[in-house]
Coordinates of all heavy atoms in Angstrom, one line a residue:
G1 N 0.3 10.4 -26.5 CA -0.6 11.2 -27.0 C -0.6 12.7 -26.4 O -1.3 13.5 -26.9
H2 N 0.2 12.9 -25.3 CA 0.2 14.2 -24.7 C 1.5 14.2 -23.9 O 2.1 13.1 -23.5 CB -1.0 14.4 -23.9 CG -1.3 13.3 -22.9 ND1 -0.8 13.3 -21.6 CD2 -2.1 12.3 -23.0 CE1 -1.3 12.2 -21.1 NE2 -2.0 11.5 -21.8
T3 N 1.9 15.3 -23.4 CA 2.9 15.5 -22.4 C 2.5 15.1 -21.0 O 1.3 15.1 -20.7 CB 3.4 17.0 -22.4 OG1 2.4 17.8 -22.0 CG2 4.1 17.3 -23.7
G4 N 3.4 14.7 -20.2 CA 3.0 14.4 -18.8 C 4.1 13.5 -18.3 O 5.1 13.3 -18.8
V5 N 3.7 12.8 -17.2 CA 4.5 11.9 -16.5 C 4.0 10.5 -17.0 O 2.9 10.1 -17.0 CB 4.2 11.8 -15.0 CG1 5.1 10.8 -14.3 CG2 4.7 13.3 -14.4
W6 N 4.9 9.7 -17.6 CA 4.7 8.5 -18.2 C 5.6 7.3 -17.5 O 6.6 7.6 -17.1 CB 5.1 8.6 -19.7 CG 4.1 9.3 -20.4 CD1 4.0 10.7 -20.6 CD2 2.9 8.8 -21.2 NE1 2.9 11.1 -21.5 CE2 2.2 9.9 -21.7 CE3 2.4 7.5 -21.4 CZ2 1.1 9.8 -22.4 CZ3 1.2 7.4 -22.1 CH2 0.6 8.5 -22.6
S7 N 5.0 6.2 -17.7 CA 5.8 4.9 -17.1 C 5.6 3.9 -18.2 O 4.5 3.6 -18.7 CB 5.2 4.6 -15.9 OG 5.8 3.3 -15.4
L8 N 6.6 3.1 -18.5 CA 6.6 2.0 -19.3 C 6.8 0.7 -18.3 O 7.7 0.7 -17.6 CB 7.9 2.0 -20.3 CG 8.1 0.8 -21.2 CD1 7.0 0.8 -22.2 CD2 9.4 1.0 -21.9
S9 N 5.7 -0.1 -18.5 CA 5.6 -1.1 -17.4 C 4.9 -2.3 -17.9 O 4.0 -2.2 -18.8 CB 5.0 -0.5 -16.1 OG 5.1 -1.5 -15.2
K10 N 5.2 -3.4 -17.2 CA 4.3 -4.6 -17.5 C 3.1 -4.5 -16.6 O 3.2 -4.3 -15.4 CB 5.3 -5.8 -17.1 CG 4.6 -7.2 -17.5 CD 5.5 -8.3 -17.2 CE 4.9 -9.6 -17.5 NZ 5.7 -10.8 -17.2
V11 N 2.0 -4.9 -17.2 CA 0.7 -4.9 -16.3 C 0.8 -6.0 -15.4 O 1.4 -7.1 -15.8 CB -0.5 -5.2 -17.4 CG1 -1.7 -5.3 -16.6 CG2 -0.6 -4.0 -18.3
S12 N 0.2 -5.8 -14.2 CA 0.3 -6.9 -13.1 C -0.3 -8.0 -13.5 O -1.3 -8.1 -14.4 CB -0.5 -6.3 -11.9 OG -0.5 -7.3 -10.9
D13 N 0.2 -9.3 -13.1 CA -0.3 -10.5 -13.5 C -1.7 -10.8 -12.9 O -2.3 -11.8 -13.0 CB 0.7 -11.6 -13.2 CG 2.0 -11.6 -13.9 OD1 1.8 -11.0 -15.2 OD2 3.0 -12.0 -13.6
T14 N -2.1 -10.0 -11.7 CA -3.3 -10.3 -11.2 C -4.1 -9.0 -11.1 O -3.6 -8.0 -11.2 CB -3.0 -10.7 -9.7 OG1 -2.5 -9.7 -8.9 CG2 -2.2 -11.9 -9.5
A15 N -5.3 -9.2 -10.9 CA -6.3 -8.0 -10.9 C -5.9 -7.0 -9.8 O -5.9 -5.8 -10.0 CB -7.8 -8.4 -10.8
D16 N -5.5 -7.4 -8.7 CA -5.1 -6.6 -7.5 C -3.7 -6.1 -7.5 O -3.4 -5.3 -6.7 CB -5.5 -7.3 -6.1 CG -6.9 -7.5 -6.0 OD1 -7.8 -7.1 -6.8 OD2 -7.2 -8.0 -5.0
G17 N -2.9 -6.7 -8.4 CA -1.5 -6.2 -8.3 C -0.9 -6.9 -7.0 O -1.1 -8.0 -6.7
T18 N -0.2 -5.9 -6.2 CA 0.5 -6.5 -5.1 C -0.3 -6.1 -3.8 O -1.2 -5.2 -3.9 CB 1.9 -5.9 -5.0 OG1 1.9 -4.6 -4.9 CG2 2.8 -6.4 -6.1
T19 N -0.2 -6.8 -2.7 CA -0.9 -6.5 -1.5 C 0.1 -6.5 -0.4 O 0.9 -7.4 -0.2 CB -2.0 -7.6 -1.2 OG1 -2.8 -7.5 -2.4 CG2 -2.7 -7.3 0.1
Y20 N 0.1 -5.5 0.5 CA 0.9 -5.4 1.6 C 0.0 -5.2 2.8 O -0.9 -4.3 3.0 CB 1.8 -4.1 1.5 CG 2.7 -3.8 2.8 CD1 3.9 -4.7 2.9 CD2 2.4 -3.1 3.8 CE1 4.8 -4.6 4.0 CE2 3.2 -2.9 4.9 CZ 4.4 -3.7 5.0 OH 5.2 -3.6 6.0
R21 N 0.2 -6.1 3.9 CA -0.5 -6.1 5.1 C 0.3 -5.8 6.3 O 1.4 -6.2 6.4 CB -1.2 -7.5 5.4 CG -2.2 -7.8 4.3 CD -2.9 -9.1 4.7 NE -3.7 -9.6 3.7 CZ -3.5 -10.7 2.9 NH1 -2.6 -11.6 3.1 NH2 -4.4 -11.1 1.9
E22 N -0.2 -5.0 7.2 CA 0.5 -4.6 8.4 C -0.3 -4.2 9.5 O -1.5 -4.1 9.4 CB 1.4 -3.3 7.9 CG 2.3 -2.7 9.0 CD 3.4 -3.5 9.4 OE1 4.5 -3.4 8.7 OE2 3.3 -4.4 10.3
R23 N 0.3 -4.1 10.7 CA -0.4 -3.7 11.9 C 0.3 -2.5 12.5 O 1.5 -2.6 12.6 CB -0.6 -4.8 12.9 CG -1.3 -4.4 14.1 CD -1.5 -5.7 15.0 NE -2.5 -5.3 16.1 CZ -2.5 -5.8 17.3 NH1 -1.3 -6.6 17.7 NH2 -3.2 -5.5 18.2
I24 N -0.4 -1.5 13.0 CA 0.3 -0.4 13.8 C -0.1 -0.4 15.1 O -1.3 -0.5 15.4 CB -0.1 0.9 13.1 CG1 0.3 1.0 11.6 CG2 0.6 2.1 13.9 CD1 -0.2 2.3 10.9
I25 N 0.9 -0.4 16.0 CA 0.5 -0.4 17.5 C 1.3 0.7 18.2 O 2.4 1.1 17.7 CB 0.9 -1.8 18.0 CG1 2.3 -2.1 18.0 CG2 -0.1 -2.9 17.6 CD1 2.8 -3.5 18.6
Y26 N 0.9 1.1 19.3 CA 1.6 2.1 20.2 C 2.7 1.3 21.0 O 2.8 0.2 20.9 CB 0.6 2.7 21.2 CG -0.3 3.7 20.6 CD1 -1.6 3.3 20.4 CD2 0.0 4.8 20.1 CE1 -2.6 4.2 19.9 CE2 -0.9 5.7 19.5 CZ -2.2 5.4 19.4 OH -3.1 6.3 18.8
K27 N 3.6 2.0 21.5 CA 4.8 1.3 22.2 C 4.2 0.4 23.4 O 4.9 -0.6 23.6 CB 5.7 2.4 22.9 CG 6.6 3.1 21.9 CD 7.4 4.2 22.5 CE 8.3 4.8 21.4 NZ 9.3 5.8 22.0
D28 N 3.2 0.7 23.8 CA 2.6 -0.2 24.9 C 1.9 -1.4 24.4 O 1.4 -2.2 25.1 CB 1.7 0.5 25.9 CG 0.5 1.1 25.3 OD1 0.1 0.8 24.1 OD2 -0.5 1.8 26.0
G29 N 1.9 -1.5 23.0 CA 1.1 -2.8 22.5 C -0.3 -2.5 22.1 O -0.8 -3.5 21.4
T30 N -0.9 -1.5 22.3 CA -2.2 -1.3 22.1 C -2.5 -1.0 20.6 O -1.5 -0.2 20.0 CB -2.9 -0.2 22.9 OG1 -2.2 1.0 22.8 CG2 -3.0 -0.7 24.4
P31 N -3.5 -1.3 19.9 CA -3.6 -1.0 18.5 C -3.9 0.5 18.2 O -4.6 1.2 19.1 CB -4.8 -1.8 18.0 CG -5.6 -2.1 19.3 CD -4.6 -2.1 20.4
V32 N -3.4 1.0 17.1 CA -3.7 2.3 16.7 C -4.9 2.2 15.7 O -4.8 1.8 14.6 CB -2.4 2.9 15.8 CG1 -2.8 4.4 15.2 CG2 -1.2 3.0 16.8
K33 N -6.0 2.7 16.2 CA -7.3 2.6 15.5 C -7.6 3.8 14.6 O -7.3 4.9 15.0 CB -8.5 2.4 16.5 CG -8.2 1.3 17.5 CD -9.3 1.3 18.5 CE -9.1 0.4 19.6 NZ -10.1 0.4 20.6
N34 N -8.3 3.6 13.4 CA -8.8 4.6 12.6 C -7.8 5.6 12.0 O -8.1 6.8 12.1 CB -10.0 5.2 13.3 CG -11.1 4.2 13.6 OD1 -11.3 3.3 12.7 ND2 -11.5 4.2 14.8
V35 N -6.7 5.1 11.8 CA -5.6 6.1 11.3 C -5.4 5.9 9.7 O -5.4 4.7 9.3 CB -4.3 5.8 12.0 CG1 -3.1 6.5 11.4 CG2 -4.3 6.3 13.5

């Protein structure tokens, strides 16, 4: 219906799509908080 950036894709099979979990720590092993 208009110009722009378009994608042709299959809708995710779940409501949330994909999920990635990770932990960020400093070199000394302490957690990196509130980043």
Side-chain angles (χ1 to χ4, degrees):
H2 55 86
T3 59
V5 177
W6 287 85
S7 174
L8 180 65
S9 185
K10 183 176 179 180
V11 176
S12 176
D13 295 335
T14 67
D16 290 355
T18 60
T19 301
Y20 181 78
R21 295 183 185 119
E22 179 69 91
R23 183 176 190 215
I24 301 174
I25 57 173
Y26 292 106
K27 288 183 179 182
D28 66 4
T30 58
V32 177
K33 304 174 187 178
N34 303 315
V35 170

